[in-house]
Amino acid sequence: EAGVVQSPRYKIIEKKQPVAFWCNPISGHNTLYWYRQNLGQGPELLIRYENEEAVDDSQLPKDRFSAERLKGVDSTLKIQPAELGDSAVYLCASSLSGHTGELFFGEGSRLTVL
Amino acid sequence: SQQGEEDPQALSIQEGENATMNCSYKTSINNLQWYRQNSGRGLVHLILIRSNEREKHSGRLRVTLDTSKKSSSLLITASRAADTASYFCATFRNSGNTPLVFGKGTRLSVIA
């Protein structure tokens, strides 16, 4: 069974440019998470979806970040415009709906903003 | 904000030794989980311990939970160079429909 797939793995952009990350969760996992991980830190939640609905987006900087999960499967996370402080690893994870068990993570997308 | 705090921040041991990492948290929890992250990779789930459990084993891993002290420990026995990674504790809170919250992690180096 395929795991959580993320792309791109690496992205280098100039500040003020837009960037988008894509995530395909494990089949059957209705809950999808986007976490941001700064260097030397633990992951911090940006947004959580239950199917198509964003049920927790309180930590998402809405002035420049947006996310969508059309059809309740794949998800994209967009930053526009990117700032220097956005350099981080963006991790996507999925789990069974309403489940308080383990999360399955993708390999992450490492963003460098110059 | 991060709920869990791991201690120590970094740990360096010789192959074959045991490694102990600790995690403290602030609010009541449904369960506590430990994850491992190799450099440049995603997180991998290691073990989950529920609030009504005190100890759990999985292979060379032993996790304890003390809800009165709001703390947990992860013991890796007979460590190997391949155990070199960052280890994170994460908690599901009891209150409300809240997500898994991670600590800052312990960086473990196992020297061959």
Side-chain angles (χ1 to χ4, degrees):
Chain A
E1 180 180 314
V4 177
V5 179
Q6 291 188 245
S7 68
R9 286 277 282 130
Y10 304 94
K11 189 73 175 179
I12 301 174
I13 60 172
E14 299 280 338
K15 63 181 181 182
K16 300 184 182 179
Q17 294 299 304
V19 64
F21 306 110
W22 174 81
C23 173
N24 179 245
I26 291 174
S27 177
H29 283 192
N30 294 328
T31 306
L32 183 146
Y33 309 77
W34 282 103
Y35 281 87
R36 177 169 60 187
Q37 186 177 27
N38 292 310
L39 189 64
Q41 302 292 312
E44 294 186 318
L45 182 73
L46 290 174
I47 190 167
R48 175 168 60 112
Y49 282 94
E50 290 287 346
N51 298 302
E52 300 92 349
E53 183 183 1
V55 297
D56 187 349
D57 63 355
S58 58
Q59 301 302 312
L60 189 72
K62 297 182 181 62
D63 56 338
R64 297 181 301 106
F65 286 64
S66 64
E68 62 181 9
R69 191 182 183 198
L70 299 176
K71 301 181 182 178
V73 181
D74 295 1
S75 178
T76 57
L77 177 69
K78 298 177 181 178
I79 308 174
Q80 181 171 10
E83 297 179 351
L84 296 176
D86 296 331
S87 294
V89 176
Y90 291 84
L91 294 162
C92 179
S94 69
S95 69
L96 294 171
S97 181
H99 190 49
T100 55
E102 67 178 289
L103 270 60
F104 295 82
F105 282 84
E107 296 283 30
S109 294
R110 180 178 296 276
L111 173 65
T112 302
V113 182
L114 303 176
Chain B
S1 62
Q2 291 171 320
Q3 155 99 312
E5 291 289 338
E6 289 90 341
D7 170 62
Q9 289 186 338
L11 179 62
S12 183
I13 59 173
Q14 296 289 326
E15 203 166 33
E17 294 180 337
N18 295 342
T20 300
M21 288 159 269
N22 302 298
C23 170
S24 60
Y25 57 91
K26 298 176 182 176
T27 63
S28 63
I29 60 172
N30 176 289
N31 68 64
L32 185 144
Q33 304 178 28
W34 286 91
Y35 287 77
R36 162 186 165 147
Q37 185 178 36
N38 288 79
S39 181
R41 308 297 295 273
L43 281 77
V44 175
H45 181 266
L46 293 177
I47 198 165
L48 179 154
I49 186 164
R50 303 189 191 286
S51 60
N52 62 352
E53 297 176 311
R54 291 297 168 258
E55 186 171 314
K56 208 163 183 180
H57 297 254
S58 177
R60 293 185 296 113
L61 306 181
R62 172 178 169 254
V63 169
T64 63
L65 179 64
D66 186 336
T67 53
S68 66
K69 295 181 179 179
K70 292 187 170 58
S71 67
S72 173
S73 67
L74 170 67
L75 169 67
I76 305 174
T77 59
S79 63
R80 307 166 181 167
D83 294 328
T84 295
S86 290
Y87 293 82
F88 296 90
C89 71
T91 53
F92 263 118
R93 300 179 191 178
N94 253 339
S95 57
N97 185 19
T98 57
L100 195 63
V101 179
F102 288 83
K104 295 182 179 180
T106 292
R107 293 186 304 280
L108 173 65
S109 297
V110 181
I111 302 166

